[in-house]
Amino acid sequence: MTPPPPPRGRRDSEDDLEHVLLRRRRRRERGKGNRKRRTTLIFVALVILVLVVIASGVGAVARFRSDCDLQTLTAVQNGQNSFVYAATGTLLGSIPAERNRTPVALWRVSPWMRKATVAIEDHRFYEHGGVDYVGIARAAWKDLRAGHVVQGGSTITQQLVRNLYISKERTLKRKLKEACLAIKLSRARSKDWILAQYMNQVYYGNHAYGIEAAAQTYFSKHARNLTLDESALLAGLPQAPSSYDPLHRPATAIERRDSVLRAMRDYGDISLGQYRRAVAQRNLRLRPGKLYTRIREPYFFSYVRDQLIAEYGASTVRTGGLRVYTTINPRLQVAARRAIVDTLYLRNDPAAAVVSINPANGAIRAMTAVTPGRTGNQFNLVAQARRQPGSTFKTFVLTAAIAQGMNPSSTYYVSAPFHYQPDPYTAAWDVQTYDHSYLGSVSVTSATLASDNTVYAQLTLDVGPEKVAEMAHKLGVLSHLDVVPAMGLGADAISPLEEASAYATIAAGGVYSKPMAIRKVVLANGKEDTDAGWGQPQRKRVISDGVAYEVTKILEQNVLGGTGVGAYFGRPAAGKTGTTDNHADAWFSGYVPQLETTVWVGYPQGEIPMENVHGISVAGGTFPATIWRLFMESTLQNSPALSWQSPRDPVVWRSFTQGQYGSSLRPSSNYYYYSPTTSTGTTTTRQTTPTRTTPATTGRTVTTVPPPPPPPPEPPPPPEPPPPPAPPPPPPPPPPLPEP
């Protein structure tokens, strides 16, 4: 009996299933055929490649061998940061660079970091000879199974070769060259050397090249102090620093860290318990460092950086790995800032700058500035700012006059309103004293103590403005000076550093020392640069010690009873005050035998009058003298009080030619004067005929046609005020500043 046929729907379903299975078998057979064809094509391609290599002959092989020669290759220089240190060895900061790198020896790297790097990058590192054939085969098999690249086969040695010697382009020739060089490098160098070089070159993200820079950037610690979980985090970064960036992608960074920890567990570098404790830590405990960004003394730091760039060039300074040891003393820096903030403590107070120099060798011991209410000002108020020095410039006039043989105690001028007009076509120069009171006939010494502008206007003309400029340059002023009569009263702008250098020359008995900020520079190879002359004082006698001694005696009297009494602190000291028009700048420059210090007070943004600061008008004898005194007291509290040395070459006083009211005419000059007729205590004015002195006579002769008028003289500088009352006492001082 024939069984009944199955229902129509069931038979159709079985037919459909058989059809689907048949299609699958056909696809598998076609896939096998395609793989066989791909394998055949790859084999044919390899055969063709071998034939091409053979056909290219011995020349191509020779060229390849020459490319694979370590001796003919120059390593790519990734550079390293340059660091600047104080005289005590305290780190002042790192020269800003695009790449932060500080190489360290392998023994200065945490053992955890070494193990983590080998585990994740090349776990057979200590077994292969530069190229891991087993690793390449394993990576190729995984890539083939996945259909795309999932694992690289490059060893640590190959990566080092790629970073040091060759480009990172992906070509067959580059890969062959990379493998060849890796084998040769592995034979030429030890494994520890290769690992150390790799860890000092590889990029860890956030401008950190090398493990020391990475440890400082992410954890503010040295590489030798890295823990297990910190090491695992950093070891995972080189594969994709931006993707695993712990600062911006902490979750992804933790996943990558855990992968490194698993590798360390699987390869026996850590125990199961260590692994579990490490992965249980989900807080990365990052502590971003400031080693490469923090600069402790920005004003002095910028001055040193500019000197380094002038010697080595910007690129070498940023990436040359220099170790720069300077002359700055952190204790003096703290004392300078404390003296400023204890004196100018309100947010709207003017700024103040302090620079201090050792007269014996020109070493800069302190250089700082404080702008109340502002931080991060990179403009160097000490070395870069140019402001009118006011009456502190009179010291250079006095020095030039004494050098010409003028006896300041027996040379007298009339203190009275001074009117100077060299010809009728030139604007007049009228000079007065600050309070419009006059001393009548007065010696140059007394006029210096009173800072009398009218006497120094006449003295400048008698000495000769060009002689005053020459003396200022000899002493240490480097800025261009306009040779005009007003320069003797401080009309030309100079920097506080220049003025400090000039006063230090007088303090040194007339020996100029070029300001010195750098004691020595150690190059990246560990050798000191002795060719640049760092730390070698550049000294030159510019005036006799007798001239310097006479100037110092007068400036000492100025501190004891002149305009500089606010600077007195109980030991022999010499100094001069200076104040400019409308009290826009105020100065005090002074010294003891072993240290010179210059203080400037003003507003950095411009010549803004300081006529109501703590209720008074700012002059050189007020806040600048107070800052100077506080700084010197703190700095010299443990130093002996020295006296001035008697000169070996005393000044021989000679006849000093004085013209009418200070107008001395030389035979070669074409000077014309309209001067007041003055008697002691009274002043009258009359107009005289233009006259000229000629070589044939010492009198005045009338000229009918005057020569073309010279350019108008500079406007008169401001008068120096008498010593004002002491500023009001400051509030309780803030807590001590930390030692840099």
Side-chain angles (χ1 to χ4, degrees):
M1 182 175 178
T2 304
R8 179 72 179 175
R10 181 180 176 185
R11 188 167 56 248
D12 291 343
S13 297
E14 291 177 353
D15 291 343
D16 291 341
L17 178 61
E18 290 179 0
H19 184 66
V20 169
L21 294 176
L22 179 61
R23 285 204 307 269
R24 288 183 177 177
R25 283 196 298 271
R26 288 176 179 175
R27 281 199 300 270
R28 283 197 296 269
E29 290 173 358
R30 282 199 301 270
K32 290 180 180 179
N34 290 337
R35 283 196 294 272
K36 289 180 180 178
R37 282 195 295 273
R38 283 199 300 269
T39 304
T40 303
L41 289 174
I42 292 173
F43 177 77
V44 171
L46 290 175
V47 171
I48 294 175
L49 177 62
V50 171
L51 292 176
V52 169
V53 171
I54 296 175
S56 57
V58 178
V61 175
R63 285 194 300 273
F64 180 76
R65 286 181 176 177
S66 65
D67 288 341
C68 184
D69 186 358
L70 289 174
Q71 303 300 324
T72 62
L73 295 176
T74 302
V76 176
Q77 298 298 323
N78 281 338
Q80 53 184 290
N81 290 78
S82 296
F83 291 92
V84 179
Y85 300 88
T88 57
T90 304
L91 178 65
L92 296 181
S94 168
I95 303 290
E98 294 181 359
R99 296 183 175 189
N100 297 323
R101 180 172 177 265
T102 306
V104 291
L106 189 61
W107 64 270
R108 290 183 177 273
V109 178
S110 166
W112 293 124
M113 188 66 209
R114 288 177 255 164
K115 292 179 180 180
T117 299
V118 172
I120 196 63
E121 294 290 346
D122 183 7
H123 79 278
R124 297 186 68 251
F125 172 69
Y126 288 100
E127 301 172 16
H128 60 68
V131 176
D132 186 4
Y133 302 106
V134 175
I136 293 175
R138 182 179 60 252
W141 172 247
K142 290 185 178 180
D143 293 346
L144 183 63
R145 290 183 60 185
H148 58 89
V149 177
V150 295
Q151 181 174 331
S154 294
T155 64
I156 287 177
T157 311
Q158 287 176 274
Q159 294 181 58
L160 176 62
V161 165
R162 190 184 313 147
N163 290 335
L164 283 180
Y165 296 111
I166 59 180
S167 66
K168 297 182 180 181
E169 58 181 343
R170 298 189 174 217
T171 63
L172 178 60
K173 179 180 179 181
R174 198 272 298 166
K175 293 296 293 183
L176 293 174
K177 180 179 178 180
E178 175 187 298
C180 178
L181 287 172
I183 294 172
K184 289 194 173 184
L185 185 63
S186 184
R187 294 172 181 173
R189 296 287 187 173
S190 68
K191 291 291 185 179
D192 284 350
W193 184 92
I194 293 172
L195 181 60
Q197 290 295 310
Y198 170 80
M199 296 181 71
N200 278 312
Q201 294 285 343
V202 71
Y203 182 50
Y204 290 91
N206 288 291
H207 306 287
Y209 287 77
I211 185 57
E212 179 69 11
Q216 292 287 351
T217 298
Y218 295 109
F219 297 108
S220 297
K221 60 171 59 177
H222 292 292
R224 64 175 178 267
N225 298 325
L226 291 171
T227 62
L228 170 59
D229 55 324
E230 292 170 347
S231 297
L233 176 71
L234 296 183
L237 296 181
Q239 187 182 86
S242 58
S243 299
Y244 303 134
D245 184 355
L247 297 177
H248 302 94
R249 298 184 176 183
T252 308
I254 289 176
E255 292 180 7
R256 176 62 175 169
R257 181 205 65 179
D258 293 349
S259 297
V260 176
L261 290 170
R262 281 194 296 272
M264 296 179 72
R265 178 201 61 189
D266 295 344
Y267 297 129
D269 294 315
I270 57 175
S271 65
L272 180 60
Q274 289 173 318
Y275 166 76
R276 288 174 176 172
R277 286 191 294 273
V279 297
Q281 179 56 256
R282 310 314 286 174
N283 183 355
L284 293 177
R285 295 179 291 187
L286 298 175
R287 198 169 152 228
K290 297 181 179 180
L291 174 65
Y292 300 103
T293 58
R294 181 181 180 184
I295 297 175
R296 292 183 180 271
E297 303 294 345
Y299 298 105
F300 180 73
F301 192 93
S302 65
Y303 179 73
V304 170
R305 181 191 58 206
D306 292 345
Q307 288 195 330
L308 293 171
I309 291 175
E311 178 66 27
Y312 300 111
S315 178
T316 299
V317 171
R318 287 195 300 265
T319 62
L322 306 178
R323 296 296 182 270
V324 184
Y325 298 88
T326 68
T327 61
I328 208 76
N329 187 316
R331 184 177 67 85
L332 270 64
Q333 290 288 96
V334 172
R337 286 195 296 271
R338 171 62 61 204
I340 294 173
V341 300
D342 281 354
T343 306
L344 298 169
Y345 44 83
L346 301 179
R347 285 185 58 85
N348 60 344
D349 279 347
V354 174
V355 57
S356 193
I357 293 178
N358 182 353
N361 55 17
I364 301 173
R365 309 299 285 153
M367 178 189 283
T368 192
V370 175
T371 303
R374 281 191 177 185
T375 57
N377 183 14
Q378 295 298 311
F379 181 71
N380 193 335
L381 296 175
V382 177
Q384 296 175 317
R386 299 288 191 276
R387 304 295 282 260
Q388 289 183 340
S391 293
T392 56
F393 205 88
K394 291 175 182 173
T395 297
F396 309 144
V397 182
L398 178 64
T399 305
I402 294 177
Q404 293 182 18
M406 182 205 72
N407 187 333
S409 298
S410 60
T411 302
Y412 281 72
Y413 284 85
V414 175
S415 170
F418 182 67
H419 176 85
Y420 172 70
Q421 190 172 20
D423 60 67
Y425 309 104
T426 302
W429 179 34
D430 292 296
V431 184
Q432 299 175 332
T433 58
Y434 172 74
D435 60 355
H436 305 289
S437 64
Y438 302 95
L439 304 174
S441 181
V442 63
S443 69
V444 171
T445 297
S446 298
T448 304
L449 304 184
S451 198
D452 193 301
N453 288 336
T454 65
V455 171
Y456 265 87
Q458 300 170 69
L459 182 60
T460 300
L461 291 169
D462 281 345
V463 172
E466 69 281 358
K467 294 295 185 182
V468 174
E470 180 182 351
M471 179 57 69
H473 287 313
K474 279 184 179 180
L475 296 176
V477 175
L478 303 179
S479 294
H480 170 75
L481 299 175
D482 292 329
V483 182
V484 295
M487 70 179 305
L489 306 186
D492 290 303
I494 64 176
S495 72
L497 178 60
E498 290 176 291
E499 176 152 318
S501 176
Y503 271 75
T505 301
I506 302 173
V511 178
Y512 165 76
S513 296
K514 182 180 179 180
M516 179 173 60
I518 300 173
R519 293 189 297 113
K520 69 175 180 178
V521 172
V522 178
L523 305 176
N525 58 10
K527 295 182 179 179
E528 182 180 348
D529 180 10
T530 58
D531 296 332
W534 304 119
Q536 301 175 13
Q538 300 182 37
R539 311 194 75 203
K540 177 183 179 182
R541 177 165 293 283
V542 294
I543 59 174
S544 71
D545 61 344
V547 172
Y549 181 74
E550 296 297 333
V551 173
T552 296
K553 285 199 305 181
I554 296 176
L555 297 186
E556 182 181 23
Q557 294 180 52
N558 191 52
V559 173
L560 292 173
T563 60
V565 291
Y568 179 72
F569 67 111
R571 66 166 67 198
K576 184 71 183 73
T577 57
T579 311
T580 59
D581 194 20
N582 295 327
H583 306 276
D585 298 276
W587 301 69
F588 188 87
S589 289
Y591 51 90
V592 295
Q594 63 266 54
L595 192 67
E596 192 286 335
T597 300
T598 290
V599 178
W600 168 85
V601 173
Y603 289 99
Q605 57 268 39
E607 296 183 359
I608 301 173
M610 299 182 291
E611 296 179 340
N612 186 17
V613 178
H614 299 195
I616 65 171
S617 295
V618 179
T622 61
F623 300 114
T626 300
I627 293 171
W628 188 92
R629 173 177 55 80
L630 293 174
F631 171 75
M632 298 294 274
E633 281 180 338
S634 175
T635 299
L636 301 172
Q637 59 183 342
N638 297 321
S639 300
L642 303 180
S643 300
W644 316 110
Q645 292 186 357
S646 298
R648 296 182 179 181
D649 184 17
V651 176
V652 177
W653 306 121
R654 298 188 296 272
S655 174
F656 181 72
T657 304
Q658 292 177 259
Q660 183 182 13
Y661 309 110
S663 303
S664 177
L665 301 182
R666 294 179 302 281
S668 59
S669 300
N670 290 323
Y671 281 37
Y672 296 84
Y673 296 88
Y674 286 84
S675 301
T677 298
T678 309
S679 62
T680 303
T682 61
T683 302
T684 60
T685 304
R686 66 176 176 85
Q687 181 169 298
T688 63
T689 305
T691 57
R692 170 170 54 194
T693 299
T694 65
T697 177
T698 58
R700 299 181 185 271
T701 60
V702 177
T703 58
T704 55
V705 181
E714 291 290 318
E720 171 73 9
L737 295 174
E739 180 91 4

